[in-house]
Amino acid sequence: MKLYEFEAFQNPRRVRMFLAEKGIEVEREQIDVPAGEHRSEENLRRNPGAAVPFLELDNGNFISETIAISRFFEETYPTTPSLMGATAEEKATIEMWQRRVELGLTQATGDFFHHATEGLGEVDRYRNKEWGENSRKQILATMKLLDTNLANNEFIAGDRFSIADITAVCAVDFAEYLGMPISDSHINLRRWHETVSSRLSAAA
Ligand SMILES: N[C@@H](CCC(=O)N[C@@H](CS)C(=O)NCC(=O)O)C(=O)O
């Protein structure tokens, strides 16, 4: 099994954090995304979505999409800590928050990066500045939503650490890199960020 990734980016970090929380070790290979290596013929065959991360299984098949890769490990290693929920309600609640965070922060920070900044430079030349700036609004609104939610919950999907926290901390850190740090007024989000960032997996 091998994980193809590019260390600096948020989606590969989500998978590394997920694996670290579960104590699973997987061989990794770097794909030079800023150089466009993810768009080579060979890598497009492995992941037609032209992105990292993607996982090569021992049977030669490939799985891409961070959430699908995480699901594979969640199901394959059932005795490791569950990060995607145990009961029907837990699973649905985690998925609800994971989805909100993925659309409102992961996707929006990606759009901001590609459209409001130089993004991947020559590798990806299409820019729509207006769309980039619209993403900023979405990022700030999602941070506010999370702050409100965290007033009554220790973690994003309730009282247990889950994949929703992993998705969120990776996106919040990327937002900070893009010049959108957590607002001083968001005291609940700040408290949560400090707690989650102090986990060993956050450095994976
Ligand atoms: N929906 C995909 C998104 C993956 C993604 O966008 N990865 C970024 C790195 S964080 C990438 O490889 N971007 C390449 C590009 O935009 O050309 C997932 O969840 O894994």
Side-chain angles (χ1 to χ4, degrees):
M1 196 149 49
K2 194 194 277 188
L3 181 68
Y4 294 83
E5 61 152 12
F6 181 66
E7 265 193 18
F9 286 173
Q10 64 171 327
N11 286 299
R13 184 180 174 212
R14 287 167 68 193
V15 176
R16 285 200 308 277
M17 230 179 132
F18 192 91
L19 291 170
E21 285 287 337
K22 284 186 164 289
I24 303 168
E25 289 202 11
V26 175
E27 186 189 349
R28 294 191 272 134
E29 184 172 317
Q30 299 301 305
I31 300 284
D32 191 345
V33 174
E37 209 190 324
H38 57 307
R39 300 193 186 176
S40 71
E41 246 178 66
E42 189 183 17
N43 285 326
L44 285 177
R45 265 197 308 276
R46 294 161 157 171
N47 178 14
V52 287
F54 54 90
L55 180 71
E56 182 174 17
L57 303 181
D58 291 337
N59 63 9
N61 290 336
F62 285 88
I63 297 178
S64 50
E65 294 300 325
T66 300
I67 239 3
I69 296 169
S70 306
R71 172 63 66 195
F72 174 82
F73 287 115
E74 180 87 347
E75 304 289 334
T76 309
Y77 298 86
T79 55
T80 56
S82 160
L83 296 169
M84 298 175 99
T87 65
E89 183 175 345
E90 250 177 46
K91 284 180 187 173
T93 305
I94 290 169
E95 192 164 328
M96 173 179 75
W97 279 107
Q98 142 65 33
R99 190 101 184 107
R100 284 175 177 158
V101 174
E102 200 170 55
L103 292 171
L105 284 182
T106 312
Q107 179 74 44
T109 48
D111 286 347
F112 185 88
F113 172 70
H114 286 291
H115 294 290
T117 79
E118 280 311 298
L120 292 178
E122 284 303 298
V123 167
D124 192 4
R125 284 168 39 208
Y126 174 71
R127 305 263 181 284
N128 182 332
K129 289 260 177 204
E130 207 180 319
W131 182 245
E133 282 309 321
N134 188 60
S135 305
R136 181 199 297 277
K137 281 191 221 147
Q138 209 183 341
I139 293 162
L140 299 181
T142 306
M143 285 200 196
K144 189 168 190 290
L145 172 73
L146 295 182
D147 182 64
T148 305
N149 173 55
L150 287 163
N152 301 312
N153 295 291
E154 189 178 354
F155 294 105
I156 299 227
D159 56 8
R160 279 185 54 197
F161 180 84
S162 77
I163 191 165
D165 296 289
I166 294 180
T167 304
V169 75
C170 293
V172 164
D173 287 348
F174 190 45
E176 176 164 21
Y177 168 80
L178 294 171
M180 288 169 277
I182 303 174
S183 151
D184 284 344
S185 65
H186 291 163
I187 52 170
N188 308 305
L189 188 58
R190 285 187 163 276
R191 182 264 307 152
W192 163 88
H193 185 260
E194 211 176 294
T195 306
V196 172
S197 301
S198 68
R199 295 174 83 92
L200 283 180
S201 63

